[in-house]
Amino acid sequence: MKRRTFLTGSAVAGATTLVAAPAIAQSMPEIKWRLTSSFPKSLDTIYGTAQTYAKYVAEATDNKFQIQTFGAGEIVPGLQALDAVSVASVEIAQTPLYLYIGKEPVLAYATGVPFGMNHRHQHSWWTFGGGAELCAEALKPFKVHAILCGNSGTQMGGWFRKEIKTVDDLKGLKFRIAGMGGHVLARLGVVPQQIAGGDVYPALEKGTIDAAEFVGPYDDEKLGFYKVAKYYYFPGWWEGGAMLHMIVNDEKWNALPKQYQAILTQAGSAAGAWMLEKYDSVNPTALKRLIANGTELRAFPQPVMEASYKATQDYLNEIAEKSPLSKKTKESHDAYMKDVLFYTQIAENYYDNYLLSKIRKG
């Protein structure tokens, strides 16, 4: 009797194994995607985030989900990443969504608007303040799904051939600048130029442009801007905490097992953390090298900051009046920023400023 029971139990277990194995296999299919980046391969932190993302996805799926990464221009130009994913020329892209504000102004908030939040506040708004949902609504016509994957932190203000002492010095300046910052500066007389990362140095070297901003010391040093422009300004008020995203074609996203969708999302968080940690590690030493090589560090004069802030508020208010979604997004963003800054000034800002005062005396 015991033997018969054991055999019956074994048979049931065997049958369960036979049923379960194919189910597990089906939940972990072999998939190969192509990822196009808006950045050149030479930028080992930004482009490296795409590589890190692909690595994490492969490791989490026992190499069943493979994502091959391509730099800007290898499949499509950097400024066409959204279009490529929208029509499924590629399955996924790494890009800052503010590059496409000509198609939908709300996408500026997906990366960060001028005089917007820093990286921590931006990510908090995206996750807990409704930012992800508002930007998902803006992306519906493009048939893509956005995954938060990285942030540059507060960026530098860029490289200039001449000093900027007054607002008048901005007039007629041909400045490579992406996103809404260029639209705002146009109101102050700047002639904004939107040029993909890999094409900025040649334009600055040839004099096609007078100034260029990109990210920060580490990337800017790699791109060689200090060789053709002497003055390095801060802060990049148009990118106080620029978020990056992986955008996935909707049809491809919806076809994935839920497990793979979760892995792609969590890989975005992990690779994004890697990006910020890397920048905090490499930017300080890069800035020291730039200064040692003759770079002259400058803060934007207060009158320039004030004029830029006013122009920003006027511009964002005008955009908000053009569509209900723009208005709703601006109200959400501004209310959240007010609350988080209220707390930050009490805790972190006071603490950081105290430590800086000690270090300067030290």
PDB file of all heavy atoms in Angstrom, residues 101-102 105 108-109 113-114 179-187 308-322 330:
ATOM      1  N   ILE A 101      10.595  68.492 -27.948  1.00  0.00           N
ATOM      2  CA  ILE A 101       9.566  69.444 -27.549  1.00  0.00           C
ATOM      3  C   ILE A 101       8.903  70.109 -28.749  1.00  0.00           C
ATOM      4  O   ILE A 101       7.811  70.672 -28.613  1.00  0.00           O
ATOM      5  CB  ILE A 101      10.122  70.513 -26.583  1.00  0.00           C
ATOM      6  CG1 ILE A 101      11.293  71.270 -27.223  1.00  0.00           C
ATOM      7  CG2 ILE A 101      10.519  69.877 -25.263  1.00  0.00           C
ATOM      8  CD1 ILE A 101      11.783  72.443 -26.387  1.00  0.00           C
ATOM      9  N   GLY A 102       9.548  70.037 -29.906  1.00  0.00           N
ATOM     10  CA  GLY A 102       8.909  70.554 -31.113  1.00  0.00           C
ATOM     11  C   GLY A 102       7.685  69.734 -31.481  1.00  0.00           C
ATOM     12  O   GLY A 102       6.760  70.235 -32.128  1.00  0.00           O
ATOM     13  N   PRO A 105       5.479  69.892 -26.334  1.00  0.00           N
ATOM     14  CA  PRO A 105       6.196  70.686 -25.318  1.00  0.00           C
ATOM     15  C   PRO A 105       6.228  70.054 -23.931  1.00  0.00           C
ATOM     16  O   PRO A 105       7.176  70.281 -23.177  1.00  0.00           O
ATOM     17  CB  PRO A 105       5.407  72.008 -25.297  1.00  0.00           C
ATOM     18  CG  PRO A 105       4.796  72.107 -26.653  1.00  0.00           C
ATOM     19  CD  PRO A 105       4.455  70.689 -27.030  1.00  0.00           C
ATOM     20  N   ALA A 108       9.326  68.382 -22.278  1.00  0.00           N
ATOM     21  CA  ALA A 108      10.400  69.102 -21.574  1.00  0.00           C
ATOM     22  C   ALA A 108      10.432  68.712 -20.106  1.00  0.00           C
ATOM     23  O   ALA A 108      11.505  68.571 -19.507  1.00  0.00           O
ATOM     24  CB  ALA A 108      10.195  70.609 -21.708  1.00  0.00           C
ATOM     25  N   TYR A 109       9.257  68.514 -19.513  1.00  0.00           N
ATOM     26  CA  TYR A 109       9.185  68.160 -18.103  1.00  0.00           C
ATOM     27  C   TYR A 109       9.678  66.735 -17.846  1.00  0.00           C
ATOM     28  O   TYR A 109      10.067  66.413 -16.724  1.00  0.00           O
ATOM     29  CB  TYR A 109       7.748  68.309 -17.600  1.00  0.00           C
ATOM     30  CG  TYR A 109       7.307  69.745 -17.476  1.00  0.00           C
ATOM     31  CD1 TYR A 109       6.687  70.392 -18.547  1.00  0.00           C
ATOM     32  CD2 TYR A 109       7.517  70.456 -16.302  1.00  0.00           C
ATOM     33  CE1 TYR A 109       6.275  71.713 -18.438  1.00  0.00           C
ATOM     34  CE2 TYR A 109       7.117  71.782 -16.183  1.00  0.00           C
ATOM     35  CZ  TYR A 109       6.500  72.406 -17.259  1.00  0.00           C
ATOM     36  OH  TYR A 109       6.107  73.722 -17.152  1.00  0.00           O
ATOM     37  N   VAL A 113      12.746  71.148 -16.980  1.00  0.00           N
ATOM     38  CA  VAL A 113      12.579  72.468 -17.578  1.00  0.00           C
ATOM     39  C   VAL A 113      13.590  73.438 -16.986  1.00  0.00           C
ATOM     40  O   VAL A 113      14.163  73.183 -15.927  1.00  0.00           O
ATOM     41  CB  VAL A 113      11.143  73.005 -17.357  1.00  0.00           C
ATOM     42  CG1 VAL A 113      10.138  72.182 -18.127  1.00  0.00           C
ATOM     43  CG2 VAL A 113      10.799  73.058 -15.870  1.00  0.00           C
ATOM     44  N   PRO A 114      13.834  74.555 -17.667  1.00  0.00           N
ATOM     45  CA  PRO A 114      14.728  75.576 -17.100  1.00  0.00           C
ATOM     46  C   PRO A 114      14.268  76.012 -15.709  1.00  0.00           C
ATOM     47  O   PRO A 114      13.071  76.194 -15.466  1.00  0.00           O
ATOM     48  CB  PRO A 114      14.616  76.720 -18.120  1.00  0.00           C
ATOM     49  CG  PRO A 114      14.268  76.052 -19.403  1.00  0.00           C
ATOM     50  CD  PRO A 114      13.371  74.912 -19.017  1.00  0.00           C
ATOM     51  N   GLY A 179      16.780  71.612 -25.894  1.00  0.00           N
ATOM     52  CA  GLY A 179      15.600  71.749 -25.064  1.00  0.00           C
ATOM     53  C   GLY A 179      15.083  73.166 -24.955  1.00  0.00           C
ATOM     54  O   GLY A 179      15.384  74.042 -25.774  1.00  0.00           O
ATOM     55  N   MET A 180      14.283  73.400 -23.917  1.00  0.00           N
ATOM     56  CA  MET A 180      13.630  74.693 -23.737  1.00  0.00           C
ATOM     57  C   MET A 180      14.595  75.811 -23.380  1.00  0.00           C
ATOM     58  O   MET A 180      14.285  76.980 -23.551  1.00  0.00           O
ATOM     59  CB  MET A 180      12.559  74.596 -22.650  1.00  0.00           C
ATOM     60  CG  MET A 180      11.240  74.055 -23.150  1.00  0.00           C
ATOM     61  SD  MET A 180       9.950  74.204 -21.897  1.00  0.00           S
ATOM     62  CE  MET A 180       8.528  73.668 -22.863  1.00  0.00           C
ATOM     63  N   GLY A 181      15.769  75.455 -22.873  1.00  0.00           N
ATOM     64  CA  GLY A 181      16.752  76.480 -22.539  1.00  0.00           C
ATOM     65  C   GLY A 181      17.066  77.359 -23.742  1.00  0.00           C
ATOM     66  O   GLY A 181      17.229  78.581 -23.610  1.00  0.00           O
ATOM     67  N   GLY A 182      17.133  76.745 -24.900  1.00  0.00           N
ATOM     68  CA  GLY A 182      17.396  77.498 -26.124  1.00  0.00           C
ATOM     69  C   GLY A 182      16.264  78.448 -26.463  1.00  0.00           C
ATOM     70  O   GLY A 182      16.488  79.588 -26.894  1.00  0.00           O
ATOM     71  N   HIS A 183      15.030  78.008 -26.255  1.00  0.00           N
ATOM     72  CA  HIS A 183      13.868  78.856 -26.521  1.00  0.00           C
ATOM     73  C   HIS A 183      13.851  80.065 -25.590  1.00  0.00           C
ATOM     74  O   HIS A 183      13.503  81.172 -26.000  1.00  0.00           O
ATOM     75  CB  HIS A 183      12.583  78.049 -26.348  1.00  0.00           C
ATOM     76  CG  HIS A 183      12.426  76.967 -27.370  1.00  0.00           C
ATOM     77  ND1 HIS A 183      11.205  76.411 -27.671  1.00  0.00           N
ATOM     78  CD2 HIS A 183      13.330  76.325 -28.158  1.00  0.00           C
ATOM     79  CE1 HIS A 183      11.363  75.475 -28.609  1.00  0.00           C
ATOM     80  NE2 HIS A 183      12.644  75.412 -28.889  1.00  0.00           N
ATOM     81  N   VAL A 184      14.216  79.821 -24.332  1.00  0.00           N
ATOM     82  CA  VAL A 184      14.255  80.915 -23.363  1.00  0.00           C
ATOM     83  C   VAL A 184      15.355  81.912 -23.725  1.00  0.00           C
ATOM     84  O   VAL A 184      15.129  83.129 -23.764  1.00  0.00           O
ATOM     85  CB  VAL A 184      14.477  80.375 -21.935  1.00  0.00           C
ATOM     86  CG1 VAL A 184      14.746  81.513 -20.959  1.00  0.00           C
ATOM     87  CG2 VAL A 184      13.271  79.560 -21.481  1.00  0.00           C
ATOM     88  N   LEU A 185      16.549  81.402 -24.001  1.00  0.00           N
ATOM     89  CA  LEU A 185      17.671  82.285 -24.319  1.00  0.00           C
ATOM     90  C   LEU A 185      17.455  83.064 -25.607  1.00  0.00           C
ATOM     91  O   LEU A 185      17.998  84.161 -25.785  1.00  0.00           O
ATOM     92  CB  LEU A 185      18.965  81.471 -24.387  1.00  0.00           C
ATOM     93  CG  LEU A 185      19.533  81.059 -23.026  1.00  0.00           C
ATOM     94  CD1 LEU A 185      20.642  80.031 -23.182  1.00  0.00           C
ATOM     95  CD2 LEU A 185      20.045  82.285 -22.268  1.00  0.00           C
ATOM     96  N   ALA A 186      16.643  82.513 -26.514  1.00  0.00           N
ATOM     97  CA  ALA A 186      16.329  83.231 -27.753  1.00  0.00           C
ATOM     98  C   ALA A 186      15.638  84.556 -27.435  1.00  0.00           C
ATOM     99  O   ALA A 186      15.789  85.541 -28.168  1.00  0.00           O
ATOM    100  CB  ALA A 186      15.451  82.371 -28.644  1.00  0.00           C
ATOM    101  N   ARG A 187      14.902  84.593 -26.334  1.00  0.00           N
ATOM    102  CA  ARG A 187      14.224  85.821 -25.921  1.00  0.00           C
ATOM    103  C   ARG A 187      15.208  86.881 -25.427  1.00  0.00           C
ATOM    104  O   ARG A 187      14.854  88.055 -25.334  1.00  0.00           O
ATOM    105  CB  ARG A 187      13.203  85.507 -24.829  1.00  0.00           C
ATOM    106  CG  ARG A 187      12.093  84.588 -25.320  1.00  0.00           C
ATOM    107  CD  ARG A 187      11.058  84.307 -24.262  1.00  0.00           C
ATOM    108  NE  ARG A 187       9.910  83.657 -24.891  1.00  0.00           N
ATOM    109  CZ  ARG A 187       8.646  83.891 -24.588  1.00  0.00           C
ATOM    110  NH1 ARG A 187       8.340  84.763 -23.638  1.00  0.00           N
ATOM    111  NH2 ARG A 187       7.674  83.274 -25.215  1.00  0.00           N
ATOM    112  N   SER A 308      17.247  85.633 -17.190  1.00  0.00           N
ATOM    113  CA  SER A 308      16.949  84.278 -17.662  1.00  0.00           C
ATOM    114  C   SER A 308      15.769  83.683 -16.903  1.00  0.00           C
ATOM    115  O   SER A 308      14.905  83.022 -17.488  1.00  0.00           O
ATOM    116  CB  SER A 308      18.177  83.384 -17.497  1.00  0.00           C
ATOM    117  OG  SER A 308      19.266  83.863 -18.250  1.00  0.00           O
ATOM    118  N   TYR A 309      15.724  83.926 -15.591  1.00  0.00           N
ATOM    119  CA  TYR A 309      14.619  83.405 -14.776  1.00  0.00           C
ATOM    120  C   TYR A 309      13.287  84.017 -15.209  1.00  0.00           C
ATOM    121  O   TYR A 309      12.286  83.312 -15.376  1.00  0.00           O
ATOM    122  CB  TYR A 309      14.875  83.678 -13.298  1.00  0.00           C
ATOM    123  CG  TYR A 309      13.813  83.102 -12.387  1.00  0.00           C
ATOM    124  CD1 TYR A 309      13.854  81.766 -12.003  1.00  0.00           C
ATOM    125  CD2 TYR A 309      12.750  83.882 -11.946  1.00  0.00           C
ATOM    126  CE1 TYR A 309      12.875  81.221 -11.187  1.00  0.00           C
ATOM    127  CE2 TYR A 309      11.764  83.352 -11.130  1.00  0.00           C
ATOM    128  CZ  TYR A 309      11.826  82.020 -10.753  1.00  0.00           C
ATOM    129  OH  TYR A 309      10.850  81.483  -9.965  1.00  0.00           O
ATOM    130  N   LYS A 310      13.285  85.331 -15.411  1.00  0.00           N
ATOM    131  CA  LYS A 310      12.050  86.000 -15.827  1.00  0.00           C
ATOM    132  C   LYS A 310      11.598  85.494 -17.199  1.00  0.00           C
ATOM    133  O   LYS A 310      10.403  85.205 -17.416  1.00  0.00           O
ATOM    134  CB  LYS A 310      12.247  87.508 -15.868  1.00  0.00           C
ATOM    135  CG  LYS A 310      10.969  88.260 -16.231  1.00  0.00           C
ATOM    136  CD  LYS A 310      11.183  89.752 -16.299  1.00  0.00           C
ATOM    137  CE  LYS A 310       9.853  90.478 -16.571  1.00  0.00           C
ATOM    138  NZ  LYS A 310       9.157  89.979 -17.775  1.00  0.00           N
ATOM    139  N   ALA A 311      12.537  85.386 -18.122  1.00  0.00           N
ATOM    140  CA  ALA A 311      12.194  84.907 -19.466  1.00  0.00           C
ATOM    141  C   ALA A 311      11.653  83.482 -19.408  1.00  0.00           C
ATOM    142  O   ALA A 311      10.744  83.119 -20.168  1.00  0.00           O
ATOM    143  CB  ALA A 311      13.420  84.981 -20.374  1.00  0.00           C
ATOM    144  N   THR A 312      12.212  82.678 -18.501  1.00  0.00           N
ATOM    145  CA  THR A 312      11.745  81.295 -18.337  1.00  0.00           C
ATOM    146  C   THR A 312      10.299  81.255 -17.867  1.00  0.00           C
ATOM    147  O   THR A 312       9.470  80.523 -18.422  1.00  0.00           O
ATOM    148  CB  THR A 312      12.637  80.538 -17.326  1.00  0.00           C
ATOM    149  OG1 THR A 312      13.945  80.399 -17.869  1.00  0.00           O
ATOM    150  CG2 THR A 312      12.072  79.156 -17.019  1.00  0.00           C
ATOM    151  N   GLN A 313       9.987  82.034 -16.829  1.00  0.00           N
ATOM    152  CA  GLN A 313       8.625  82.013 -16.297  1.00  0.00           C
ATOM    153  C   GLN A 313       7.616  82.500 -17.330  1.00  0.00           C
ATOM    154  O   GLN A 313       6.534  81.918 -17.482  1.00  0.00           O
ATOM    155  CB  GLN A 313       8.540  82.860 -15.020  1.00  0.00           C
ATOM    156  CG  GLN A 313       9.485  82.432 -13.904  1.00  0.00           C
ATOM    157  CD  GLN A 313       9.497  80.918 -13.667  1.00  0.00           C
ATOM    158  OE1 GLN A 313       8.451  80.292 -13.540  1.00  0.00           O
ATOM    159  NE2 GLN A 313      10.686  80.342 -13.618  1.00  0.00           N
ATOM    160  N   ASP A 314       7.969  83.533 -18.064  1.00  0.00           N
ATOM    161  CA  ASP A 314       7.077  84.040 -19.115  1.00  0.00           C
ATOM    162  C   ASP A 314       6.832  82.964 -20.177  1.00  0.00           C
ATOM    163  O   ASP A 314       5.694  82.743 -20.602  1.00  0.00           O
ATOM    164  CB  ASP A 314       7.678  85.282 -19.780  1.00  0.00           C
ATOM    165  CG  ASP A 314       7.701  86.493 -18.844  1.00  0.00           C
ATOM    166  OD1 ASP A 314       6.995  86.463 -17.815  1.00  0.00           O
ATOM    167  OD2 ASP A 314       8.447  87.445 -19.146  1.00  0.00           O
ATOM    168  N   TYR A 315       7.910  82.304 -20.564  1.00  0.00           N
ATOM    169  CA  TYR A 315       7.807  81.293 -21.618  1.00  0.00           C
ATOM    170  C   TYR A 315       6.978  80.088 -21.157  1.00  0.00           C
ATOM    171  O   TYR A 315       6.071  79.631 -21.863  1.00  0.00           O
ATOM    172  CB  TYR A 315       9.206  80.833 -22.030  1.00  0.00           C
ATOM    173  CG  TYR A 315       9.204  79.799 -23.125  1.00  0.00           C
ATOM    174  CD1 TYR A 315       8.919  80.149 -24.436  1.00  0.00           C
ATOM    175  CD2 TYR A 315       9.480  78.460 -22.849  1.00  0.00           C
ATOM    176  CE1 TYR A 315       8.913  79.200 -25.446  1.00  0.00           C
ATOM    177  CE2 TYR A 315       9.470  77.515 -23.849  1.00  0.00           C
ATOM    178  CZ  TYR A 315       9.190  77.892 -25.147  1.00  0.00           C
ATOM    179  OH  TYR A 315       9.169  76.947 -26.135  1.00  0.00           O
ATOM    180  N   LEU A 316       7.258  79.586 -19.964  1.00  0.00           N
ATOM    181  CA  LEU A 316       6.535  78.413 -19.464  1.00  0.00           C
ATOM    182  C   LEU A 316       5.053  78.718 -19.241  1.00  0.00           C
ATOM    183  O   LEU A 316       4.193  77.857 -19.474  1.00  0.00           O
ATOM    184  CB  LEU A 316       7.175  77.908 -18.176  1.00  0.00           C
ATOM    185  CG  LEU A 316       8.570  77.281 -18.318  1.00  0.00           C
ATOM    186  CD1 LEU A 316       9.135  76.913 -16.961  1.00  0.00           C
ATOM    187  CD2 LEU A 316       8.532  76.051 -19.224  1.00  0.00           C
ATOM    188  N   ASN A 317       4.751  79.932 -18.825  1.00  0.00           N
ATOM    189  CA  ASN A 317       3.349  80.318 -18.645  1.00  0.00           C
ATOM    190  C   ASN A 317       2.622  80.378 -19.986  1.00  0.00           C
ATOM    191  O   ASN A 317       1.457  79.975 -20.089  1.00  0.00           O
ATOM    192  CB  ASN A 317       3.257  81.676 -17.939  1.00  0.00           C
ATOM    193  CG  ASN A 317       3.569  81.575 -16.454  1.00  0.00           C
ATOM    194  OD1 ASN A 317       3.349  80.541 -15.832  1.00  0.00           O
ATOM    195  ND2 ASN A 317       4.094  82.647 -15.881  1.00  0.00           N
ATOM    196  N   GLU A 318       3.305  80.843 -21.003  1.00  0.00           N
ATOM    197  CA  GLU A 318       2.700  80.900 -22.344  1.00  0.00           C
ATOM    198  C   GLU A 318       2.429  79.490 -22.870  1.00  0.00           C
ATOM    199  O   GLU A 318       1.371  79.225 -23.449  1.00  0.00           O
ATOM    200  CB  GLU A 318       3.620  81.649 -23.305  1.00  0.00           C
ATOM    201  CG  GLU A 318       3.687  83.138 -23.041  1.00  0.00           C
ATOM    202  CD  GLU A 318       4.742  83.827 -23.889  1.00  0.00           C
ATOM    203  OE1 GLU A 318       5.186  83.233 -24.899  1.00  0.00           O
ATOM    204  OE2 GLU A 318       5.135  84.963 -23.539  1.00  0.00           O
ATOM    205  N   ILE A 319       3.394  78.589 -22.663  1.00  0.00           N
ATOM    206  CA  ILE A 319       3.217  77.198 -23.100  1.00  0.00           C
ATOM    207  C   ILE A 319       2.042  76.561 -22.365  1.00  0.00           C
ATOM    208  O   ILE A 319       1.238  75.829 -22.954  1.00  0.00           O
ATOM    209  CB  ILE A 319       4.502  76.387 -22.850  1.00  0.00           C
ATOM    210  CG1 ILE A 319       5.643  76.890 -23.735  1.00  0.00           C
ATOM    211  CG2 ILE A 319       4.255  74.895 -23.102  1.00  0.00           C
ATOM    212  CD1 ILE A 319       5.444  76.701 -25.212  1.00  0.00           C
ATOM    213  N   ALA A 320       1.942  76.844 -21.073  1.00  0.00           N
ATOM    214  CA  ALA A 320       0.890  76.236 -20.256  1.00  0.00           C
ATOM    215  C   ALA A 320      -0.506  76.630 -20.732  1.00  0.00           C
ATOM    216  O   ALA A 320      -1.465  75.865 -20.562  1.00  0.00           O
ATOM    217  CB  ALA A 320       1.075  76.623 -18.800  1.00  0.00           C
ATOM    218  N   GLU A 321      -0.620  77.820 -21.307  1.00  0.00           N
ATOM    219  CA  GLU A 321      -1.930  78.291 -21.759  1.00  0.00           C
ATOM    220  C   GLU A 321      -2.358  77.670 -23.085  1.00  0.00           C
ATOM    221  O   GLU A 321      -3.505  77.816 -23.496  1.00  0.00           O
ATOM    222  CB  GLU A 321      -1.910  79.824 -21.881  1.00  0.00           C
ATOM    223  CG  GLU A 321      -1.751  80.547 -20.551  1.00  0.00           C
ATOM    224  CD  GLU A 321      -2.808  80.131 -19.535  1.00  0.00           C
ATOM    225  OE1 GLU A 321      -4.002  80.061 -19.906  1.00  0.00           O
ATOM    226  OE2 GLU A 321      -2.426  79.852 -18.379  1.00  0.00           O
ATOM    227  N   LYS A 322      -1.451  76.953 -23.727  1.00  0.00           N
ATOM    228  CA  LYS A 322      -1.762  76.430 -25.063  1.00  0.00           C
ATOM    229  C   LYS A 322      -2.446  75.076 -25.057  1.00  0.00           C
ATOM    230  O   LYS A 322      -3.011  74.661 -26.072  1.00  0.00           O
ATOM    231  CB  LYS A 322      -0.481  76.362 -25.905  1.00  0.00           C
ATOM    232  CG  LYS A 322       0.080  77.732 -26.243  1.00  0.00           C
ATOM    233  CD  LYS A 322       1.330  77.641 -27.100  1.00  0.00           C
ATOM    234  CE  LYS A 322       1.850  79.034 -27.441  1.00  0.00           C
ATOM    235  NZ  LYS A 322       3.089  78.976 -28.262  1.00  0.00           N
ATOM    236  N   LYS A 330       2.590  71.651 -15.712  1.00  0.00           N
ATOM    237  CA  LYS A 330       3.315  72.752 -15.058  1.00  0.00           C
ATOM    238  C   LYS A 330       2.851  72.936 -13.615  1.00  0.00           C
ATOM    239  O   LYS A 330       3.676  73.120 -12.707  1.00  0.00           O
ATOM    240  CB  LYS A 330       3.122  74.055 -15.835  1.00  0.00           C
ATOM    241  CG  LYS A 330       3.921  75.224 -15.240  1.00  0.00           C
ATOM    242  CD  LYS A 330       3.732  76.497 -16.034  1.00  0.00           C
ATOM    243  CE  LYS A 330       4.671  77.597 -15.539  1.00  0.00           C
ATOM    244  NZ  LYS A 330       4.469  77.945 -14.122  1.00  0.00           N
TER     245      LYS A 330
END
